[in-house]
Amino acid sequence: MSTPDAVPVSLAEIARIAGVGRAAVSNWRRRHDSFPSRIGGTDVSPQFSLSEVEQWLRENGKLEDVGGRELLWPRFEALGSRDDSGLAIAEAARRMRNPRARSRDKELSAQARDVVGEAARLGRAEGAKETFEFLLQRWLDTHVRQLSTTPPALASLMARIALDARIGHEPDSLTVFDPACGTGHLSAAATKAHDGTGLALLACEQDAALAALASARLGFATEGRDVRTEIVTADALRDDPYAGLRADIALCNPPFNERDWGYEQLATDQRWTHGLPPRTEPELAWVQHLLAHLRPGGTAVVVLPPAVASRKAGRRIRGSLLRTGVLRAVVALPPGCAQPHSVSLQLWVLRAAGEGASAAPVGQDALLVDATRFARPGAREPGPDWDALTSFVLRAVSELDHPDAELPEGAVRVSLLDLLDDEVDVTPGRYTSAGAETTGAELAASWGELTEALGELTQLAQVLSKLGLTEGEARTTATVGDLVKAGALTLRAGQQPAETMGPPQGGAVPLLTVPDLLMDGVPSGSVPADAEHTVAEDGDVVVAGVVRAFRAWVHEGAPVALGPQLYALRVAPEKLDAHFLAGCLRAPANGRQAGTHASSSSRVDIRRLQVLQLPLEEQAAYAETFRQLASFERLLTEAQGLGSGLVGDVSDRLATGGLAG
């Protein structure tokens, strides 16, 4: 495969191409004088010529088990803009599926035409669908900060809800509508969920590159099936290309918080049957747009930010949706289900009013489902527990039209009389938490946990209270800087990554920052596995170098990337005990004397922190005591949380007359 010298690649990309770790590439660069010279970048992040790298790897037998896709991707990335590379990938997919298709190369640059032709040939040799999916995923990962996609698991859940909730439909016919389709995740999910014939996928996307990629994705997803697919590039709200459409189901993950959605131009639009959406409520414009394109009894499922359920400006429209029986259910999802990953997004389940004698009566309640408990903060697997979440939500929504059925815990039916108050707030947590009374068995279990924690605290307190603490002259200490010079430890500073993502996806590495420590200590973001970052491994000592968050601990478990003002210290085990080092470093007086200023936001000079000088054999006793102190602190925090929860639960029971005579 010949590639132009102008295509640059980083050390991380070379590692991917060769199928090795980044450290191996750095080792090759040091050991082999023949390794290609740097053509750009910096000393920390050098760049090399792809053609020279490929030639060197082949000559040295490093490409034997690696396919051509890794070599192909840098050429797409070198096309420059997001749109140019996206359109090129879409054209390559079209050529892979149909080599005799009429060429659209006039829309592409000469460089893009070359890489499209090479991608089409590679796809036909190594698998067209697999090659396209590889290129699309790389493109999405590269531009993750500019795009908002619907993860496959969430898209599948939405499609299944919509299919199960519709009424009065033909079993073998289905028209699916998505007015903001992005790269086609929701339509592809509907294709998988519906195995009947007569499937029509109709979608709209304002961004031409996304629309082209969605068309390519659906081409592969519907291959071998009799499916009608039509994706129009247009602004769905301002210039609706499907004005007369009446679909069986509608799925949508619309753009959030867009103030310039056409408020002035669309003030008298006939779609606003529940009221003109305020300028600050674009999401309610999308909701009514979906309803306008549903046939009687058709169902829409839409992803919305949680504020739409409670904002004052939208209460009139929410009230109308409830009174007419259109808003059937609201599902609160755990954070991490989709972008923005830190927010607990919601699914609104909407059903168009039926018609004729078979029309279902207008519902007198709405189903509110709180699924936020399925989050997995700190878990090694990214995102929520999708299996449990999907099972719970589908079970709850399956009872949508069965008012007498028993609902799972976390789901409640709320009457319209209770919902149609001054606020018209349909946030599930407002009603599920109030209706979920702690049982006697749960209270007993909580008391048992608290008693156990207090027992461990008491035992540790007895041990720690008997420590023989001397009051003589202090022992000799050394600074962290001195220990680094002596080779007893290595010090690495965390950094602000060039690219950050939400909760870890696939091979991404969790990113711990100082704000995370000030919250709950759980990494809220991640970085690509091949990005430049400082990583704390199992057994490293991590230190937070900010006065207000100052602490030190021995990291345990999977690697974690460190953000600014966090430091990783790796001990030489023949000289230092990691737990001994962490205990010395986290002493409050140590942090105070090493602080650079008096304010709580000031930094701690890590190199000035003091460490007691002791022989390795004497460090063990100190390390064990430091561990006991850390356990004592953890148990105190745990007992406080258990005790506070019990006070609240018991108070609620007492306030409702729950005291036995």
Side-chain angles (χ1 to χ4, degrees), residues 610-627:
Q610 302 288 322
V611 180
L612 189 62
Q613 283 194 298
L614 288 177
L616 185 63
E617 57 273 13
E618 292 185 31
Q619 293 177 23
Y622 281 82
E624 177 58 29
T625 305
F626 281 135
R627 276 195 288 262

Side-chain angles (χ1 to χ4, degrees), residues 72 207 233 291 315 345 388 431 450 509 586 614:
L72 184 63
D207 188 305
T233 303
L291 290 171
R315 62 183 178 181
L345 297 173
Y431 302 92
L450 178 59
V509 179
R586 66 170 167 258
L614 288 177

Side-chain angles (χ1 to χ4, degrees), residues 133-205:
E133 289 178 347
F134 170 85
L135 293 172
L136 175 61
Q137 191 58 51
R138 279 295 176 83
W139 187 82
L140 291 173
D141 291 343
T142 300
H143 304 289
V144 66
R145 303 177 78 175
Q146 305 171 35
L147 303 170
S148 179
T149 59
T150 308
L154 177 58
S156 175
L157 174 60
M158 293 172 64
R160 293 175 66 181
I161 291 174
L163 287 169
D164 292 347
R166 61 188 172 140
I167 57 175
H169 62 280
E170 294 294 331
D172 291 329
S173 176
L174 184 72
T175 299
V176 181
F177 176 57
D178 182 354
C181 70
T183 54
H185 287 76
L186 289 168
S187 296
T191 303
K192 290 183 179 180
H194 176 73
D195 56 4
T197 59
L199 178 62
L201 304 173
L202 308 179
C204 185
E205 173 52 53

Side-chain angles (χ1 to χ4, degrees), residues 147-149 151 253-254 256-257 303-306 333-345 501-503 524:
L147 303 170
S148 179
T149 59
N253 184 355
F256 298 160
N257 302 320
V303 183
L304 295 175
L333 300 170
C337 286
Q339 295 172 293
H341 292 287
S342 60
V343 175
S344 174
L345 297 173
M501 305 186 297
S524 59

Side-chain angles (χ1 to χ4, degrees), residues 12-36:
E13 288 171 325
I14 296 172
R16 276 202 300 258
I17 291 169
V20 298
R22 190 177 181 280
V25 180
S26 297
N27 189 40
W28 294 342
R29 191 184 177 200
R30 286 193 303 269
R31 290 177 51 204
H32 299 280
D33 294 336
S34 60
F35 194 86

